[in-house]
Amino acid sequence: MNSINIRLNQFQFIHKLICSLFLFVIGYAYFFAQLNLQLSTRIADGNAKGLASVKDVVFTYHGDRSKTKLGMKINGSMREHLPTEADKLAIEKWIAQGRTEEGYQEIEPIFAENCVRCHPYDERPDYPLETYEEVYASAEPDKGMSVGHLARLSHFHAFGMGIFSMLLAVIFSFSSFHLSIRVICCVLPFVAMLTDITSWWLTKLTSPFFAYTVLLGGGLMGLSLAILILGSLYDMWLRK
C-alpha cells in the first residue's frame, strides 16, 4: 500500500533526475513547436508582424475563398520565378476570365518555361503544373490546407501529443496535490488536444468561427503543459 501512495518528493534521486530531464525536454520541445507554429502560420494573411491571429488560422485551414492558390503564389513566394510583370498579369487575367482551356493556350508557354522544371507531376504530385487540368486545379479558390495534409497533421499530432500528455499526466499523478486537482490537471491536456485538432477540421469543413476554438485549444494545451511540468518539478524538489 505504501508503494501505491508514494509521492514525487519521496522518489529516489535518480528517479527525480530522470523525470526532471524528461519534463525539461518536453517543455523545450514545446517551445520550438510554438516557434515553428508562429513562423509558419502568422504569414497566412500576408502580414508577418506580430503573433498568429484568428485571421491567420482561418486562412490556414479554411482558406481565403476570394483568392486562388496560384494567384497568391505568383504574387508572393513564386513571383521571382516569373521574368516579367506581363507574365504575371497574363496569368491573373486568365484566372479572372474563368480559366478557360482556350485562354490557357496563350499562357501555357509561361508555365512550360518557368514552372514545370520545379513542378513536374512525377516529383511534386501535390503541386503539378504540366497540363491545363493541373493548372486549372491550382487556380481554384483558396480552400486552405488540403484534406490530405490536414489528415496527416492530425495523425502525427494526435499520436505525439497523446503519448507525451499521458507521460506528463502519469508523473503529475504522483504529486502531493489534492486528488481533485490532480484529476483535473491530468485530464486537461487531453481535452485541449481534442479541442485543438477537432477545431482544425471544423474550421476547414464548416465555418471560420471555429478558428477561435483552435486558438482556445492551443492556449489550453500550453496552460496544461505548464501546470503539469512546473507542478511536478515543484512537488519533486521544493515541497517538503
Short mmCIF file of all heavy atoms in Angstrom, two decimals, residues 76-138:
data_model
loop_
_atom_site.label_atom_id
_atom_site.label_comp_id
_atom_site.label_asym_id
_atom_site.label_seq_id
_atom_site.Cartn_x
_atom_site.Cartn_y
_atom_site.Cartn_z
N GLY A 76 3.43 36.21 -54.48
CA GLY A 76 4.18 36.03 -53.25
C GLY A 76 5.48 35.30 -53.47
O GLY A 76 6.39 35.80 -54.14
N SER A 77 5.56 34.07 -52.94
CA SER A 77 6.84 33.35 -52.94
C SER A 77 7.34 32.96 -54.32
O SER A 77 8.54 32.74 -54.51
CB SER A 77 6.70 32.09 -52.07
OG SER A 77 5.68 31.25 -52.56
N MET A 78 6.44 32.85 -55.29
CA MET A 78 6.85 32.43 -56.63
C MET A 78 7.02 33.60 -57.61
O MET A 78 7.33 33.38 -58.79
CB MET A 78 5.83 31.43 -57.22
CG MET A 78 5.74 30.12 -56.47
SD MET A 78 7.26 29.14 -56.54
CE MET A 78 7.90 29.37 -54.88
N ARG A 79 6.81 34.83 -57.12
CA ARG A 79 6.90 35.99 -58.03
C ARG A 79 8.26 36.09 -58.70
O ARG A 79 8.36 36.42 -59.90
CB ARG A 79 6.60 37.27 -57.24
CG ARG A 79 6.76 38.55 -58.06
CD ARG A 79 5.76 38.62 -59.20
NE ARG A 79 5.98 39.74 -60.08
CZ ARG A 79 6.78 39.72 -61.14
NH1 ARG A 79 7.47 38.61 -61.45
NH2 ARG A 79 6.91 40.78 -61.92
N GLU A 80 9.31 35.78 -58.00
CA GLU A 80 10.66 35.93 -58.54
C GLU A 80 10.94 34.99 -59.71
O GLU A 80 11.88 35.21 -60.48
CB GLU A 80 11.70 35.66 -57.45
CG GLU A 80 11.63 34.26 -56.87
CD GLU A 80 12.60 34.05 -55.74
OE1 GLU A 80 13.81 33.90 -56.02
OE2 GLU A 80 12.17 34.06 -54.57
N HIS A 81 10.11 33.96 -59.85
CA HIS A 81 10.34 32.99 -60.92
C HIS A 81 9.65 33.38 -62.24
O HIS A 81 9.80 32.69 -63.25
CB HIS A 81 9.89 31.61 -60.48
CG HIS A 81 10.64 31.09 -59.29
ND1 HIS A 81 11.96 30.71 -59.34
CD2 HIS A 81 10.25 30.94 -57.99
CE1 HIS A 81 12.36 30.31 -58.14
NE2 HIS A 81 11.34 30.46 -57.30
N LEU A 82 8.86 34.45 -62.19
CA LEU A 82 8.26 34.97 -63.42
C LEU A 82 9.12 36.15 -63.89
O LEU A 82 9.26 37.14 -63.18
CB LEU A 82 6.83 35.43 -63.17
CG LEU A 82 5.82 34.32 -62.85
CD1 LEU A 82 4.45 34.93 -62.54
CD2 LEU A 82 5.71 33.32 -63.99
N PRO A 83 9.68 36.05 -65.09
CA PRO A 83 10.66 37.07 -65.52
C PRO A 83 10.08 38.46 -65.73
O PRO A 83 10.79 39.45 -65.55
CB PRO A 83 11.22 36.50 -66.84
CG PRO A 83 10.17 35.54 -67.32
CD PRO A 83 9.53 34.98 -66.09
N THR A 84 8.81 38.56 -66.09
CA THR A 84 8.25 39.89 -66.37
C THR A 84 6.91 40.08 -65.68
O THR A 84 6.21 39.12 -65.34
CB THR A 84 8.04 40.09 -67.89
OG1 THR A 84 6.98 39.22 -68.33
CG2 THR A 84 9.32 39.79 -68.66
N GLU A 85 6.55 41.34 -65.50
CA GLU A 85 5.25 41.69 -64.93
C GLU A 85 4.14 41.28 -65.87
O GLU A 85 3.04 40.90 -65.44
CB GLU A 85 5.20 43.20 -64.66
CG GLU A 85 3.92 43.69 -64.00
CD GLU A 85 3.79 43.27 -62.55
OE1 GLU A 85 4.78 42.78 -61.98
OE2 GLU A 85 2.68 43.44 -61.99
N ALA A 86 4.42 41.32 -67.16
CA ALA A 86 3.41 40.94 -68.16
C ALA A 86 3.00 39.48 -68.01
O ALA A 86 1.82 39.13 -68.20
CB ALA A 86 3.94 41.21 -69.56
N ASP A 87 3.95 38.62 -67.67
CA ASP A 87 3.63 37.20 -67.47
C ASP A 87 2.66 37.04 -66.29
O ASP A 87 1.69 36.29 -66.37
CB ASP A 87 4.90 36.41 -67.19
CG ASP A 87 5.79 36.30 -68.42
OD1 ASP A 87 5.27 36.43 -69.54
OD2 ASP A 87 7.01 36.08 -68.26
N LYS A 88 2.93 37.73 -65.21
CA LYS A 88 2.06 37.65 -64.04
C LYS A 88 0.66 38.17 -64.36
O LYS A 88 -0.34 37.54 -64.00
CB LYS A 88 2.66 38.45 -62.88
CG LYS A 88 1.85 38.40 -61.60
CD LYS A 88 2.48 39.20 -60.48
CE LYS A 88 2.24 40.69 -60.66
NZ LYS A 88 0.84 41.04 -60.35
N LEU A 89 0.60 39.29 -65.04
CA LEU A 89 -0.70 39.87 -65.39
C LEU A 89 -1.48 38.96 -66.33
O LEU A 89 -2.71 38.87 -66.25
CB LEU A 89 -0.50 41.25 -66.03
CG LEU A 89 0.07 42.33 -65.09
CD1 LEU A 89 0.33 43.61 -65.87
CD2 LEU A 89 -0.90 42.59 -63.94
N ALA A 90 -0.78 38.27 -67.24
CA ALA A 90 -1.45 37.37 -68.17
C ALA A 90 -2.09 36.20 -67.42
O ALA A 90 -3.22 35.79 -67.74
CB ALA A 90 -0.44 36.85 -69.19
N ILE A 91 -1.39 35.68 -66.42
CA ILE A 91 -1.95 34.58 -65.63
C ILE A 91 -3.14 35.06 -64.81
O ILE A 91 -4.18 34.39 -64.73
CB ILE A 91 -0.86 33.99 -64.71
CG1 ILE A 91 0.25 33.36 -65.54
CG2 ILE A 91 -1.47 32.95 -63.77
CD1 ILE A 91 1.45 32.89 -64.73
N GLU A 92 -3.03 36.24 -64.20
CA GLU A 92 -4.13 36.80 -63.42
C GLU A 92 -5.35 37.04 -64.30
O GLU A 92 -6.50 36.80 -63.88
CB GLU A 92 -3.69 38.10 -62.75
CG GLU A 92 -2.69 37.90 -61.63
CD GLU A 92 -2.24 39.21 -61.00
OE1 GLU A 92 -2.26 40.24 -61.70
OE2 GLU A 92 -1.89 39.19 -59.81
N LYS A 93 -5.13 37.50 -65.53
CA LYS A 93 -6.23 37.74 -66.46
C LYS A 93 -6.93 36.43 -66.81
O LYS A 93 -8.16 36.36 -66.87
CB LYS A 93 -5.70 38.41 -67.72
CG LYS A 93 -6.77 38.72 -68.76
CD LYS A 93 -6.17 39.40 -69.98
CE LYS A 93 -7.24 39.68 -71.03
NZ LYS A 93 -6.66 40.32 -72.24
N TRP A 94 -6.13 35.37 -67.03
CA TRP A 94 -6.70 34.06 -67.34
C TRP A 94 -7.56 33.55 -66.19
O TRP A 94 -8.66 33.02 -66.42
CB TRP A 94 -5.57 33.08 -67.66
CG TRP A 94 -6.03 31.67 -67.82
CD1 TRP A 94 -6.72 31.15 -68.87
CD2 TRP A 94 -5.84 30.60 -66.90
NE1 TRP A 94 -6.97 29.81 -68.67
CE2 TRP A 94 -6.45 29.45 -67.46
CE3 TRP A 94 -5.22 30.49 -65.65
CZ2 TRP A 94 -6.44 28.21 -66.82
CZ3 TRP A 94 -5.21 29.26 -65.02
CH2 TRP A 94 -5.82 28.13 -65.60
N ILE A 95 -7.10 33.73 -64.95
CA ILE A 95 -7.88 33.31 -63.79
C ILE A 95 -9.18 34.09 -63.70
O ILE A 95 -10.26 33.52 -63.49
CB ILE A 95 -7.06 33.50 -62.50
CG1 ILE A 95 -5.83 32.58 -62.49
CG2 ILE A 95 -7.92 33.22 -61.26
CD1 ILE A 95 -4.88 32.84 -61.34
N ALA A 96 -9.09 35.41 -63.88
CA ALA A 96 -10.27 36.28 -63.76
C ALA A 96 -11.30 36.00 -64.84
O ALA A 96 -12.50 36.18 -64.62
CB ALA A 96 -9.84 37.75 -63.82
N GLN A 97 -10.86 35.55 -66.00
CA GLN A 97 -11.77 35.31 -67.13
C GLN A 97 -12.34 33.90 -67.16
O GLN A 97 -12.95 33.51 -68.15
CB GLN A 97 -11.06 35.63 -68.44
CG GLN A 97 -10.77 37.13 -68.62
CD GLN A 97 -10.09 37.45 -69.93
OE1 GLN A 97 -9.54 36.57 -70.61
NE2 GLN A 97 -10.11 38.72 -70.31
N GLY A 98 -12.12 33.15 -66.08
CA GLY A 98 -12.79 31.86 -65.99
C GLY A 98 -11.94 30.64 -66.22
O GLY A 98 -12.47 29.52 -66.31
N ARG A 99 -10.64 30.80 -66.38
CA ARG A 99 -9.71 29.69 -66.51
C ARG A 99 -10.07 28.76 -67.68
O ARG A 99 -10.08 27.52 -67.55
CB ARG A 99 -9.66 28.88 -65.21
CG ARG A 99 -9.18 29.65 -64.01
CD ARG A 99 -9.27 28.81 -62.75
NE ARG A 99 -10.65 28.61 -62.34
CZ ARG A 99 -11.07 27.69 -61.49
NH1 ARG A 99 -10.19 26.85 -60.96
NH2 ARG A 99 -12.32 27.58 -61.16
N THR A 100 -10.37 29.32 -68.81
CA THR A 100 -10.79 28.52 -69.97
C THR A 100 -9.59 27.80 -70.59
O THR A 100 -8.44 28.24 -70.48
CB THR A 100 -11.44 29.40 -71.03
OG1 THR A 100 -10.46 30.33 -71.55
CG2 THR A 100 -12.61 30.17 -70.46
N GLU A 101 -9.88 26.71 -71.27
CA GLU A 101 -8.82 25.95 -71.94
C GLU A 101 -8.25 26.73 -73.11
O GLU A 101 -7.04 26.67 -73.39
CB GLU A 101 -9.34 24.60 -72.40
CG GLU A 101 -8.25 23.67 -72.91
CD GLU A 101 -8.72 22.24 -73.08
OE1 GLU A 101 -9.93 21.99 -72.90
OE2 GLU A 101 -7.87 21.38 -73.37
N GLU A 102 -9.12 27.49 -73.80
CA GLU A 102 -8.64 28.31 -74.92
C GLU A 102 -7.66 29.38 -74.43
O GLU A 102 -6.60 29.60 -75.03
CB GLU A 102 -9.81 28.97 -75.64
CG GLU A 102 -10.75 28.00 -76.36
CD GLU A 102 -11.68 27.27 -75.39
OE1 GLU A 102 -11.80 27.72 -74.22
OE2 GLU A 102 -12.28 26.25 -75.79
N GLY A 103 -8.02 30.03 -73.33
CA GLY A 103 -7.15 31.05 -72.78
C GLY A 103 -5.85 30.48 -72.26
O GLY A 103 -4.80 31.14 -72.29
N TYR A 104 -5.91 29.23 -71.82
CA TYR A 104 -4.70 28.60 -71.29
C TYR A 104 -3.63 28.44 -72.36
O TYR A 104 -2.43 28.51 -72.05
CB TYR A 104 -5.03 27.24 -70.68
CG TYR A 104 -3.82 26.46 -70.23
CD1 TYR A 104 -3.13 26.83 -69.08
CD2 TYR A 104 -3.36 25.36 -70.96
CE1 TYR A 104 -2.00 26.13 -68.67
CE2 TYR A 104 -2.24 24.66 -70.57
CZ TYR A 104 -1.57 25.04 -69.42
OH TYR A 104 -0.44 24.35 -69.02
N GLN A 105 -4.05 28.25 -73.60
CA GLN A 105 -3.07 28.06 -74.68
C GLN A 105 -2.14 29.28 -74.79
O GLN A 105 -0.98 29.14 -75.17
CB GLN A 105 -3.79 27.85 -76.01
CG GLN A 105 -4.77 26.68 -76.02
CD GLN A 105 -4.14 25.38 -75.58
OE1 GLN A 105 -3.03 25.06 -75.98
NE2 GLN A 105 -4.85 24.63 -74.73
N GLU A 106 -2.64 30.44 -74.41
CA GLU A 106 -1.83 31.65 -74.51
C GLU A 106 -0.79 31.75 -73.39
O GLU A 106 0.28 32.34 -73.57
CB GLU A 106 -2.73 32.89 -74.48
CG GLU A 106 -3.73 32.95 -75.64
CD GLU A 106 -4.62 34.17 -75.56
OE1 GLU A 106 -4.32 35.08 -74.73
OE2 GLU A 106 -5.61 34.23 -76.30
N ILE A 107 -1.11 31.20 -72.24
CA ILE A 107 -0.18 31.31 -71.11
C ILE A 107 0.60 30.02 -70.85
O ILE A 107 1.50 30.00 -70.01
CB ILE A 107 -0.93 31.71 -69.81
CG1 ILE A 107 -1.95 30.64 -69.42
CG2 ILE A 107 -1.59 33.08 -69.96
CD1 ILE A 107 -2.55 30.86 -68.05
N GLU A 108 0.29 28.96 -71.59
CA GLU A 108 0.98 27.69 -71.39
C GLU A 108 2.49 27.81 -71.51
O GLU A 108 3.23 27.20 -70.72
CB GLU A 108 0.42 26.65 -72.38
CG GLU A 108 0.87 25.23 -72.12
CD GLU A 108 2.23 24.92 -72.73
OE1 GLU A 108 2.63 25.61 -73.70
OE2 GLU A 108 2.91 24.01 -72.21
N PRO A 109 3.02 28.61 -72.47
CA PRO A 109 4.48 28.75 -72.56
C PRO A 109 5.11 29.35 -71.29
O PRO A 109 6.26 29.03 -70.97
CB PRO A 109 4.66 29.69 -73.76
CG PRO A 109 3.44 29.48 -74.59
CD PRO A 109 2.34 29.26 -73.61
N ILE A 110 4.36 30.18 -70.57
CA ILE A 110 4.89 30.76 -69.33
C ILE A 110 5.16 29.67 -68.31
O ILE A 110 6.22 29.63 -67.66
CB ILE A 110 3.91 31.80 -68.76
CG1 ILE A 110 3.67 32.93 -69.76
CG2 ILE A 110 4.43 32.35 -67.42
CD1 ILE A 110 2.63 33.94 -69.30
N PHE A 111 4.21 28.74 -68.18
CA PHE A 111 4.38 27.64 -67.24
C PHE A 111 5.48 26.68 -67.71
O PHE A 111 6.27 26.19 -66.91
CB PHE A 111 3.06 26.89 -67.06
CG PHE A 111 2.03 27.66 -66.28
CD1 PHE A 111 1.08 28.42 -66.94
CD2 PHE A 111 2.03 27.65 -64.89
CE1 PHE A 111 0.14 29.15 -66.22
CE2 PHE A 111 1.09 28.36 -64.18
CZ PHE A 111 0.14 29.12 -64.84
N ALA A 112 5.50 26.42 -69.03
CA ALA A 112 6.50 25.50 -69.57
C ALA A 112 7.92 26.01 -69.34
O ALA A 112 8.84 25.24 -69.04
CB ALA A 112 6.24 25.27 -71.06
N GLU A 113 8.11 27.32 -69.45
CA GLU A 113 9.45 27.89 -69.35
C GLU A 113 9.87 28.19 -67.91
O GLU A 113 11.07 28.16 -67.60
CB GLU A 113 9.51 29.19 -70.17
CG GLU A 113 9.36 28.99 -71.67
CD GLU A 113 9.26 30.30 -72.42
OE1 GLU A 113 9.52 31.36 -71.80
OE2 GLU A 113 8.88 30.29 -73.60
N ASN A 114 8.90 28.46 -67.04
CA ASN A 114 9.26 28.96 -65.71
C ASN A 114 8.80 28.10 -64.53
O ASN A 114 9.32 28.28 -63.42
CB ASN A 114 8.67 30.36 -65.51
CG ASN A 114 9.08 31.32 -66.60
OD1 ASN A 114 10.23 31.72 -66.68
ND2 ASN A 114 8.13 31.70 -67.46
N CYS A 115 7.86 27.19 -64.74
CA CYS A 115 7.25 26.49 -63.61
C CYS A 115 7.46 24.97 -63.61
O CYS A 115 7.67 24.38 -62.54
CB CYS A 115 5.75 26.77 -63.56
SG CYS A 115 5.32 28.53 -63.54
N VAL A 116 7.37 24.37 -64.78
CA VAL A 116 7.34 22.91 -64.87
C VAL A 116 8.62 22.26 -64.34
O VAL A 116 8.59 21.17 -63.77
CB VAL A 116 7.06 22.46 -66.32
CG1 VAL A 116 7.25 20.95 -66.48
CG2 VAL A 116 5.64 22.84 -66.72
N ARG A 117 9.75 22.94 -64.51
CA ARG A 117 11.00 22.32 -64.05
C ARG A 117 11.01 22.05 -62.54
O ARG A 117 11.70 21.16 -62.06
CB ARG A 117 12.21 23.19 -64.43
CG ARG A 117 12.27 24.55 -63.76
CD ARG A 117 13.55 25.29 -64.18
NE ARG A 117 13.63 26.63 -63.60
CZ ARG A 117 13.13 27.71 -64.18
NH1 ARG A 117 12.52 27.60 -65.36
NH2 ARG A 117 13.24 28.89 -63.59
N CYS A 118 10.23 22.82 -61.77
CA CYS A 118 10.13 22.60 -60.32
C CYS A 118 8.82 21.94 -59.93
O CYS A 118 8.67 21.50 -58.78
CB CYS A 118 10.27 23.92 -59.57
SG CYS A 118 11.91 24.66 -59.70
N HIS A 119 7.87 21.90 -60.84
CA HIS A 119 6.55 21.32 -60.52
C HIS A 119 6.12 20.28 -61.55
O HIS A 119 4.99 20.34 -62.06
CB HIS A 119 5.50 22.43 -60.44
CG HIS A 119 5.72 23.38 -59.31
ND1 HIS A 119 5.27 23.13 -58.04
CD2 HIS A 119 6.37 24.57 -59.25
CE1 HIS A 119 5.61 24.14 -57.25
NE2 HIS A 119 6.29 25.01 -57.95
N PRO A 120 6.97 19.30 -61.83
CA PRO A 120 6.54 18.20 -62.71
C PRO A 120 5.62 17.26 -61.95
O PRO A 120 5.66 17.21 -60.71
CB PRO A 120 7.86 17.51 -63.08
CG PRO A 120 8.72 17.75 -61.89
CD PRO A 120 8.35 19.11 -61.37
N TYR A 121 4.82 16.50 -62.64
CA TYR A 121 3.87 15.61 -61.99
C TYR A 121 4.58 14.52 -61.19
O TYR A 121 4.17 14.17 -60.09
CB TYR A 121 2.95 14.96 -63.03
CG TYR A 121 2.00 13.97 -62.41
CD1 TYR A 121 0.88 14.42 -61.70
CD2 TYR A 121 2.22 12.60 -62.48
CE1 TYR A 121 0.01 13.52 -61.10
CE2 TYR A 121 1.36 11.70 -61.88
CZ TYR A 121 0.26 12.17 -61.20
OH TYR A 121 -0.59 11.29 -60.60
N ASP A 122 5.66 13.98 -61.74
CA ASP A 122 6.31 12.83 -61.12
C ASP A 122 6.92 13.16 -59.76
O ASP A 122 6.89 12.34 -58.85
CB ASP A 122 7.41 12.27 -62.04
CG ASP A 122 6.82 11.64 -63.30
OD1 ASP A 122 5.64 11.25 -63.24
OD2 ASP A 122 7.53 11.55 -64.31
N GLU A 123 7.50 14.37 -59.59
CA GLU A 123 8.23 14.69 -58.38
C GLU A 123 7.42 15.48 -57.36
O GLU A 123 7.69 15.42 -56.17
CB GLU A 123 9.49 15.48 -58.72
CG GLU A 123 10.47 14.68 -59.58
CD GLU A 123 11.70 15.51 -59.93
OE1 GLU A 123 11.95 16.52 -59.24
OE2 GLU A 123 12.38 15.17 -60.91
N ARG A 124 6.44 16.24 -57.82
CA ARG A 124 5.64 17.07 -56.91
C ARG A 124 4.16 16.83 -57.15
O ARG A 124 3.47 17.69 -57.68
CB ARG A 124 5.98 18.55 -57.11
CG ARG A 124 7.39 18.94 -56.72
CD ARG A 124 7.57 18.96 -55.21
NE ARG A 124 6.75 19.98 -54.60
CZ ARG A 124 7.13 21.25 -54.49
NH1 ARG A 124 8.30 21.63 -54.92
NH2 ARG A 124 6.32 22.13 -53.93
N PRO A 125 3.67 15.63 -56.80
CA PRO A 125 2.27 15.31 -57.12
C PRO A 125 1.26 16.24 -56.48
O PRO A 125 0.15 16.36 -56.95
CB PRO A 125 2.12 13.87 -56.58
CG PRO A 125 3.21 13.72 -55.57
CD PRO A 125 4.34 14.56 -56.09
N ASP A 126 1.64 16.95 -55.39
CA ASP A 126 0.69 17.86 -54.75
C ASP A 126 0.55 19.17 -55.53
O ASP A 126 -0.47 19.84 -55.44
CB ASP A 126 1.13 18.18 -53.33
CG ASP A 126 0.92 17.00 -52.40
OD1 ASP A 126 0.12 16.12 -52.75
OD2 ASP A 126 1.56 16.95 -51.34
N TYR A 127 1.59 19.54 -56.29
CA TYR A 127 1.57 20.82 -56.99
C TYR A 127 2.08 20.70 -58.44
O TYR A 127 2.96 21.44 -58.85
CB TYR A 127 2.44 21.85 -56.25
CG TYR A 127 2.03 22.05 -54.82
CD1 TYR A 127 2.74 21.43 -53.80
CD2 TYR A 127 0.94 22.84 -54.49
CE1 TYR A 127 2.36 21.59 -52.48
CE2 TYR A 127 0.56 23.01 -53.18
CZ TYR A 127 1.27 22.38 -52.17
OH TYR A 127 0.90 22.54 -50.87
N PRO A 128 1.54 19.78 -59.22
CA PRO A 128 1.99 19.69 -60.61
C PRO A 128 1.40 20.82 -61.45
O PRO A 128 0.27 21.26 -61.21
CB PRO A 128 1.43 18.33 -61.06
CG PRO A 128 0.19 18.15 -60.22
CD PRO A 128 0.52 18.78 -58.89
N LEU A 129 2.17 21.31 -62.42
CA LEU A 129 1.73 22.41 -63.28
C LEU A 129 2.07 22.12 -64.74
O LEU A 129 2.44 23.02 -65.48
CB LEU A 129 2.39 23.72 -62.84
CG LEU A 129 2.02 24.25 -61.45
CD1 LEU A 129 2.90 25.44 -61.08
CD2 LEU A 129 0.55 24.64 -61.39
N GLU A 130 1.92 20.87 -65.15
CA GLU A 130 2.31 20.48 -66.51
C GLU A 130 1.17 20.59 -67.51
O GLU A 130 1.40 20.85 -68.68
CB GLU A 130 2.85 19.05 -66.51
CG GLU A 130 4.24 18.90 -65.94
CD GLU A 130 4.81 17.53 -66.17
OE1 GLU A 130 4.09 16.54 -65.93
OE2 GLU A 130 5.97 17.44 -66.59
N THR A 131 -0.06 20.35 -67.09
CA THR A 131 -1.19 20.31 -68.01
C THR A 131 -2.23 21.36 -67.65
O THR A 131 -2.21 21.95 -66.56
CB THR A 131 -1.87 18.93 -67.98
OG1 THR A 131 -2.48 18.74 -66.69
CG2 THR A 131 -0.84 17.81 -68.20
N TYR A 132 -3.16 21.56 -68.57
CA TYR A 132 -4.25 22.51 -68.33
C TYR A 132 -5.05 22.13 -67.09
O TYR A 132 -5.37 22.97 -66.24
CB TYR A 132 -5.18 22.56 -69.54
CG TYR A 132 -6.52 23.20 -69.25
CD1 TYR A 132 -6.62 24.57 -68.99
CD2 TYR A 132 -7.68 22.42 -69.21
CE1 TYR A 132 -7.85 25.15 -68.70
CE2 TYR A 132 -8.91 23.00 -68.93
CZ TYR A 132 -8.99 24.36 -68.67
OH TYR A 132 -10.20 24.94 -68.39
N GLU A 133 -5.35 20.82 -66.94
CA GLU A 133 -6.15 20.37 -65.80
C GLU A 133 -5.45 20.66 -64.48
O GLU A 133 -6.09 21.05 -63.49
CB GLU A 133 -6.44 18.87 -65.92
CG GLU A 133 -7.41 18.48 -67.02
CD GLU A 133 -6.78 18.52 -68.41
OE1 GLU A 133 -5.52 18.59 -68.48
OE2 GLU A 133 -7.51 18.48 -69.40
N GLU A 134 -4.12 20.47 -64.45
CA GLU A 134 -3.36 20.70 -63.23
C GLU A 134 -3.30 22.19 -62.88
O GLU A 134 -3.45 22.57 -61.71
CB GLU A 134 -1.96 20.12 -63.39
CG GLU A 134 -1.94 18.60 -63.48
CD GLU A 134 -0.64 18.05 -64.04
OE1 GLU A 134 0.23 18.86 -64.42
OE2 GLU A 134 -0.51 16.82 -64.10
N VAL A 135 -3.08 23.02 -63.88
CA VAL A 135 -3.02 24.46 -63.64
C VAL A 135 -4.40 24.98 -63.26
O VAL A 135 -4.55 25.83 -62.38
CB VAL A 135 -2.48 25.21 -64.88
CG1 VAL A 135 -2.48 26.72 -64.64
CG2 VAL A 135 -1.05 24.75 -65.19
N TYR A 136 -5.44 24.45 -63.92
CA TYR A 136 -6.82 24.83 -63.60
C TYR A 136 -7.12 24.53 -62.12
O TYR A 136 -7.70 25.36 -61.40
CB TYR A 136 -7.79 24.04 -64.48
CG TYR A 136 -9.25 24.35 -64.24
CD1 TYR A 136 -9.90 25.35 -64.97
CD2 TYR A 136 -9.98 23.63 -63.29
CE1 TYR A 136 -11.24 25.63 -64.75
CE2 TYR A 136 -11.32 23.91 -63.06
CZ TYR A 136 -11.95 24.91 -63.80
OH TYR A 136 -13.27 25.19 -63.57
N ALA A 137 -6.69 23.34 -61.66
CA ALA A 137 -6.94 22.97 -60.26
C ALA A 137 -6.18 23.89 -59.31
O ALA A 137 -6.69 24.23 -58.23
CB ALA A 137 -6.54 21.52 -60.03
N SER A 138 -4.97 24.30 -59.67
CA SER A 138 -4.18 25.18 -58.79
C SER A 138 -4.79 26.57 -58.69
O SER A 138 -4.48 27.32 -57.77
CB SER A 138 -2.74 25.29 -59.30
OG SER A 138 -2.67 26.11 -60.46
#
